[in-house]
Amino acid sequence: MSAVASQESTRFDSSVDQYQIRRDRINSVIRYALLIAVGLVMLYPLIWLIGASFKTNAEIFTQVGFWPSKFELEPYVKGWKTSTEYTFTRYFANSFLIVIPRIIVTVISCVLVAYAFARFDFFGKKILFAIMVATMMLPQIVLRIPQYIMFQQFDMIDSYAPLVLPSAFATDTFFVFMLVQFLRGIPRDMEEAAQMDGCNSLQMLWYIIVPLLKPAIISVIVFQFIWTMNDFIGPLIYLSSVEKYPVSLALKLSIGATEEVEWNSVIAISVLALVPSVAVFFAAQRHFVDGVASTGLKG
Amino acid sequence: MYENRRIGFMYVLPFVIGVVLFKLFPFVMSFALSFTQYDLIEPPKYIGVENYREMFTTDKLFPKSLSVTLMFVVLTVPLRLAAALMVAQILNFKLRGINFFRSAFYLPSILGGSIAVSILWRFIFSRDGLINQIIVALGGTPILWLADEQYSLWTIVLLNVWQFGSSMVIFLAALQSVPQSLYEAAAMDGAGKGTVFFRITVPLITPVIFFNLVMQTVHAFQEFNGPYMVTEGGPLHSTYLLSLYIYEQSFKLFNLGYGTALSWVLFVLVAALSAIAFYSSKYWVYYAGEKEGK
């Protein structure tokens, strides 16, 4: 964010008088006020959600304030148990059984492919790169039905394979693109030196490229974690047995199961469902938000 | 260096396999399937353009779903981009704690796609939910957000506009790269704030506006979680987006042929709009000798 530095070099020459300084101060007060107001409106639903998870069912529908009159832990206990034969321990474990393998294969395949695009010359490189960029804009919805039929032919329905396998082939092209952009910005001096010393391309990747790519790889991990945790239509289509459900599907089940929804326990579990993503986001937010900004892509 | 073509190809091989197997092949296959009748049990039966003909003649739900989808996109994308640009403009200042604000505004983009947030939305827009409680507290009459066709689409639009943070960080990066000297020169000439914004800032960030516009449009056409969880497509199909219709035709009724035909209509629509955007971009997008912008 070198642009920040350039902003700070506001020159105080003779034309800047007291009036200007006061105007700047008023200006920044207005900006802060606006930012805090917008921030509150945006984050209030989430703050309210946390408060509501400790409320009784009656209080949820009558209190605008987020602070519960009495902290009830019962919604959490009840929600965790669920009305199904499994508890949320199972559903969280399932989610991680999808997320972790998917992150691992995504990172490996995307780094390899980005390395090829950024550092090698090979047959059909331009066309492949164009295809990659095009698939970023291709609506996934067109591919969903044939992919389903394919996985059915492979006998992989009701398993995690359809949710993980495509990522092992660098099909999450957004990540490849992000890594390529990042690699292009890294000078090749170190690699040239390493090559002089007799490094082969794989050693070069492992000892030089991967350490340099670390911030970008962290972004890939964070994005893939959050997107996979959020993914709903994938599990909805491919998983049919409840014992394999991830958190997203189990949450949906908790609403649909009975007419009389125990709102406070649904809310309590919703809060818990958001915890992993929020934790990962705040742990890596610096890399992460900068990463999105610098590659200029969606989130 | 790096002239070894074979090694380069080895590294890119996973992608070649992946793109053929999981992208190109399904892409071609879905086009072929859209001319068939297929239910997963019987083999696909070729029926020509029957699916498309049905869509545009006898199917009453398709025009409804299409118009709801277009309405949704037309409302969501501009509102989301406007919110993103406005907040980015406020943030683009010598501010203390800019990172804090940036993360706070980004948070809804992270969580917004989750089922938990859809549940939250369904809840705060319910009859006795938070929004109505606030309206009543302010002396208004409660609105039946989820039950009134007039308002139901707005709940989904708001859910998406709320996630403007991802576009905002991209705008912010663009705003920060506008040369300070231009602002100084404009100030010297006595240009007002509005003039500076519309004559300097906006033209210089048109590549990013263009990029966000295209990506957000592609994204908006595929919105699923909101209408599925918050409104369930209702009431009276007022939030029955095409993505939902495709899902129900394909994976509930197992009319896979009809489902693929619907998804192709969606694809052609998105592709046509993108093409128009790209074609028109040379008239309104300003590239200052950039290498990657094209």
Side-chain angles (χ1 to χ4, degrees):
Chain A
M1 303 265 105
S2 57
V4 177
S6 74
Q7 280 183 9
E8 271 157 20
S9 65
T10 312
R11 274 175 286 131
F12 281 85
D13 48 42
S14 54
S15 69
V16 179
D17 51 14
Q18 284 296 317
Y19 171 72
Q20 180 68 39
I21 292 171
R22 190 179 307 150
R23 233 179 56 166
D24 278 355
R25 198 166 291 155
I26 293 170
N27 198 337
S28 73
V29 167
I30 293 172
R31 279 178 194 250
Y32 272 115
L34 275 173
L35 287 176
I36 291 169
V38 175
L40 264 181
V41 170
M42 281 185 70
L43 296 183
Y44 194 73
L46 293 172
I47 297 167
W48 182 85
L49 182 76
I50 297 170
S53 69
F54 295 103
K55 291 177 182 172
T56 60
N57 263 323
E59 200 185 351
I60 286 173
F61 288 105
T62 49
Q63 287 300 316
V64 178
F66 70 91
W67 199 256
S69 59
K70 194 173 138 242
F71 278 85
E72 296 273 348
L73 278 176
E74 204 196 307
Y76 281 90
V77 178
K78 253 195 182 158
W80 192 268
K81 266 196 217 142
T82 78
S83 53
T84 65
E85 53 184 312
Y86 305 100
T87 65
F88 262 91
T89 316
R90 178 61 171 258
Y91 300 130
F92 272 99
N94 286 344
S95 274
F96 289 118
L97 278 176
I98 300 169
V99 170
I100 292 167
R102 186 167 181 197
I103 288 177
I104 294 170
V105 298
T106 304
V107 169
I108 294 172
S109 65
C110 291
V111 167
L112 285 176
V113 173
Y115 183 42
F117 276 128
R119 292 295 195 258
F120 291 90
D121 208 6
F122 50 85
F123 178 74
K125 177 174 166 177
K126 278 205 170 132
I127 294 173
L128 275 175
F129 195 79
I131 291 176
M132 186 189 80
V133 174
T135 55
M136 277 197 297
M137 293 178 41
L138 180 69
Q140 287 306 303
I141 210 161
V142 193
L143 310 177
R144 207 160 273 143
I145 295 163
Q147 281 177 350
Y148 180 85
I149 296 168
M150 270 169 59
F151 285 117
Q152 202 215 21
Q153 297 295 318
F154 299 158
D155 206 17
M156 286 175 176
I157 300 296
D158 203 23
S159 79
Y160 297 151
L163 305 173
V164 176
L165 196 62
S167 295
F169 294 92
T171 49
D172 301 305
T173 41
F174 163 66
F175 297 133
V176 180
F177 186 74
M178 191 166 95
L179 292 169
V180 170
Q181 293 296 86
F182 195 91
L183 258 180
R184 280 179 176 164
I186 298 176
R188 298 180 176 191
D189 318 12
M190 272 168 69
E191 293 153 60
E192 276 159 17
Q195 204 182 31
M196 299 277 203
D197 292 344
C199 252
N200 66 32
S201 66
L202 209 59
Q203 287 169 318
M204 208 131 75
L205 175 67
W206 184 247
Y207 291 108
I208 294 171
I209 304 281
V210 169
L212 287 172
L213 266 183
K214 213 175 107 191
I217 292 176
I218 291 173
S219 304
V220 172
I221 293 172
V222 174
F223 265 125
Q224 190 66 303
F225 182 90
I226 291 165
W227 288 349
T228 309
M229 285 299 275
N230 284 355
D231 184 23
F232 177 66
I233 192 160
L236 181 69
I237 290 172
Y238 289 114
L239 302 177
S240 48
S241 32
V242 177
E243 54 169 308
K244 290 173 186 159
Y245 276 14
V247 174
S248 57
L249 276 189
L251 258 177
K252 194 245 154 190
L253 211 61
S254 67
I255 278 201
T258 46
E259 276 304 305
E260 279 295 300
V261 180
E262 289 273 358
W263 275 110
N264 58 359
S265 44
V266 171
I267 286 178
I269 293 303
S270 299
V271 171
L272 292 180
L274 294 176
V275 167
S277 296
V278 174
V280 166
F281 173 65
F282 280 110
Q285 52 153 321
R286 259 208 66 78
H287 298 286
F288 182 55
V289 180
D290 281 346
V292 192
S294 60
T295 53
L297 273 169
K298 65 155 188 165
Chain B
M1 68 192 291
Y2 309 116
E3 288 309 302
N4 194 326
R5 286 161 173 260
R6 210 173 308 150
I7 292 181
F9 197 75
M10 290 265 292
Y11 287 120
V12 88
L13 198 60
F15 174 70
V16 175
I17 297 169
V19 86
V20 170
L21 194 63
F22 297 113
K23 305 265 167 162
L24 294 181
F25 176 66
F27 185 65
V28 174
M29 184 170 157
S30 83
F31 187 62
L33 274 175
S34 73
F35 298 101
T36 66
Q37 192 175 29
Y38 185 40
D39 59 3
L40 277 180
I41 301 161
E42 302 281 319
K45 196 175 109 209
Y46 177 77
I47 54 168
V49 293
E50 184 54 35
N51 285 329
Y52 294 99
R53 210 188 55 80
E54 189 182 333
M55 226 181 276
F56 290 101
T57 53
T58 48
D59 187 348
K60 293 278 189 306
L61 214 44
F62 171 72
K64 173 74 184 170
S65 181
L66 183 64
S67 69
V68 167
T69 307
L70 290 173
M71 191 64 170
F72 171 76
V73 173
V74 166
L75 289 174
T76 301
V77 177
L79 281 176
R80 186 168 159 155
L81 293 188
L85 185 54
M86 234 169 61
V87 176
Q89 175 74 8
I90 303 173
L91 267 179
N92 184 28
F93 194 62
K94 291 159 286 172
L95 275 182
R96 246 173 243 275
I98 181 168
N99 284 331
F100 169 76
F101 283 112
R102 207 170 53 154
S103 297
F105 294 136
Y106 196 72
L107 194 61
S109 297
I110 296 289
L111 306 176
S114 69
I115 287 302
V117 164
S118 300
I119 289 175
L120 165 67
W121 225 252
R122 182 176 166 143
F123 200 73
I124 62 177
F125 281 99
S126 64
R127 196 165 53 95
D128 304 316
L130 181 64
I131 304 290
N132 275 343
Q133 288 174 27
I134 291 172
I135 291 175
V136 170
L138 295 174
T141 40
I143 292 169
L144 294 174
W145 295 97
L146 302 175
D148 188 333
E149 337 170 50
Q150 235 187 312
Y151 298 106
S152 51
L153 191 62
W154 280 99
T155 61
I156 315 288
V157 171
L158 282 173
L159 174 58
N160 279 270
V161 174
W162 184 60
Q163 301 167 40
F164 69 76
S166 55
S167 313
M168 180 204 72
V169 290
I170 299 171
F171 277 136
L172 184 58
L175 290 176
Q176 288 176 337
S177 68
V178 174
Q180 207 60 26
S181 58
L182 289 180
Y183 291 135
E184 282 163 18
M188 212 74 94
D189 291 344
K193 278 210 166 114
T195 316
V196 170
F197 182 71
F198 287 106
R199 292 291 175 84
I200 295 176
T201 311
V202 170
L204 281 172
I205 63 165
T206 42
V208 176
I209 295 178
F210 170 71
F211 174 83
N212 271 335
L213 181 70
V214 173
M215 291 313 272
Q216 293 306 325
T217 306
V218 174
H219 194 70
F221 268 106
Q222 300 184 77
E223 167 66 14
F224 180 80
N225 287 7
Y228 184 86
M229 278 306 291
V230 181
T231 53
E232 296 174 15
L236 299 169
H237 294 112
S238 59
T239 56
Y240 201 59
L241 298 192
L242 270 176
S243 62
L244 202 55
Y245 191 30
I246 294 169
Y247 166 76
E248 293 201 334
Q249 278 293 337
S250 313
F251 299 106
K252 281 199 150 163
L253 306 170
F254 285 98
N255 292 327
L256 296 182
Y258 199 63
T260 46
L262 286 169
S263 71
W264 262 83
V265 171
L266 187 67
F267 167 70
V268 169
L269 201 61
V270 172
L273 287 175
S274 305
I276 292 172
F278 274 101
Y279 181 76
S280 72
S281 71
K282 60 180 163 202
Y283 300 107
W284 63 274
V285 176
Y286 170 77
Y287 289 114
E290 277 188 286
K291 338 143 215 110
E292 289 156 11
K294 286 187 190 156

